[in-house]
Amino acid sequence: MAEREQVRPLAPASERPISSDDDETALHHQQQQQVKKNFHRKRCIKCCIGITASSLLIIAIVMVILIFTVFKIKDPVIKLNGVTVDKLELMNGTSIPRPGSNITLTADVSVKNPNYASFRYKNTTTTLFYHETMIGEARGPPGKSKARRTMQMNITVHIITSRLIAHPMLTGDISGGLLPMTTYTRVGGRVKILKLINKYVVVKMNCSMSVNTTSRTIQDQKCKRKVQF
């Protein structure tokens, strides 16, 4: 009888039935872990968004600074360095050009590009006036002025002799030894910076001068420039 009443050993812990309190504890622990994971995930997303936004803002600020400083399009400068008389045929014993003869002038024109990008220009047009009468015109070839460089051009202007001789003030100006003339030069082209800024620019220049009929040189040259975008 005593043997039958012996106490049986307890079942292992793994085989014990799980109580409702243990279920609630495990569920609460899982919920806390999930909350922590969600919190860390949201925090990482916010950090990434903040870093990206800050980077984009810095890039935008740098681009704006560059556009208004280094990459700001500056006016190309066109300059008439000088004009020389290459050919002038006069009537015997006078300073009057011979009818039907050829008179040519060479204009030394330079285009300075102060930008950090090249300036590509089309044909250069130079027109010569004598007392507001157009007596000559020349076209220079298209070209390219490199960044912060100056492009030099020699433009040959052919004079329309018949218009010059027919002008009523020619005789009086020749007697004084000086022929007042004006030139108009136009250069149109594009300034392109990093494929972001592409602007068409037109540079115009008006010059007044006097041609010495004796020395065949230019005197009292004055120029005014204008830039259009």
Side-chain angles (χ1 to χ4, degrees):
M1 193 70 181
E3 294 178 356
R4 292 180 181 178
E5 293 179 359
Q6 289 181 353
V7 180
R8 294 182 181 180
L10 296 175
S14 59
E15 296 180 4
R16 293 179 187 174
I18 301 175
S19 65
S20 59
D21 292 339
D22 293 336
D23 290 340
E24 291 179 2
T25 302
L27 181 61
H28 181 68
H29 181 71
Q30 290 178 358
Q31 290 176 348
Q32 286 184 337
Q33 292 294 328
Q34 188 64 34
V35 169
K36 289 181 180 180
K37 288 181 180 179
N38 293 337
F39 175 77
H40 287 299
R41 186 181 297 111
K42 291 180 180 179
R43 189 174 182 181
C44 290
I45 293 174
K46 289 181 180 180
C47 289
C48 292
I49 294 174
I51 294 173
T52 303
S54 300
S55 300
L56 292 176
L57 180 61
I58 293 173
I59 293 173
I61 293 173
V62 171
M63 289 300 297
V64 170
I65 293 174
L66 291 176
I67 289 173
F68 285 97
T69 55
V70 178
F71 294 150
K72 182 181 180 181
I73 295 181
K74 301 176 183 178
D75 298 345
V77 179
I78 183 172
K79 185 178 180 182
L80 181 64
N81 301 310
V83 178
T84 57
V85 181
D86 298 325
K87 191 174 183 181
L88 177 60
E89 297 179 9
L90 304 176
M91 296 178 63
N92 294 331
T94 67
S95 297
I96 300 175
R98 181 177 299 172
S101 63
N102 295 323
I103 303 176
T104 58
L105 304 177
T106 298
D108 180 11
V109 179
S110 62
V111 179
K112 182 181 179 181
N113 179 19
N115 296 288
Y116 286 88
S118 61
F119 172 56
R120 295 180 180 273
Y121 54 87
K122 300 180 180 179
N123 291 335
T124 304
T125 304
T126 299
T127 310
L128 183 65
F129 297 88
Y130 172 67
H131 288 295
E132 299 182 357
T133 299
M134 197 272 282
I135 61 171
E137 187 177 28
R139 291 183 178 272
K144 173 183 175 182
S145 181
K146 296 181 180 180
R148 303 181 66 81
R149 297 289 181 85
T150 300
M151 180 70 179
Q152 209 82 13
M153 296 180 292
N154 287 324
I155 301 175
T156 301
V157 183
H158 296 277
I159 306 299
I160 305 174
T161 311
S162 57
R163 293 185 183 181
L164 180 62
I165 295 176
H167 202 285
M169 301 186 70
L170 179 63
T171 303
D173 289 337
I174 288 179
S175 299
L178 296 174
L179 300 181
M181 292 189 178
T182 57
T183 62
Y184 171 76
T185 303
R186 183 182 185 277
V187 179
R190 290 188 178 275
V191 178
K192 194 171 184 180
I193 301 176
L194 297 179
K195 297 183 180 181
L196 298 175
I197 304 174
N198 188 7
K199 185 165 287 190
Y200 187 76
V201 182
V202 177
V203 186
K204 301 177 181 179
M205 179 176 64
N206 287 293
C207 294
S208 62
M209 65 195 75
S210 297
V211 180
N212 190 310
T213 57
T214 303
S215 62
R216 301 184 181 183
T217 57
I218 304 300
Q219 300 177 192
D220 303 326
Q221 177 183 306
K222 296 178 181 179
C223 295
K224 293 182 179 180
R225 287 175 286 270
K226 183 179 180 181
V227 179
Q228 294 180 342
F229 292 97

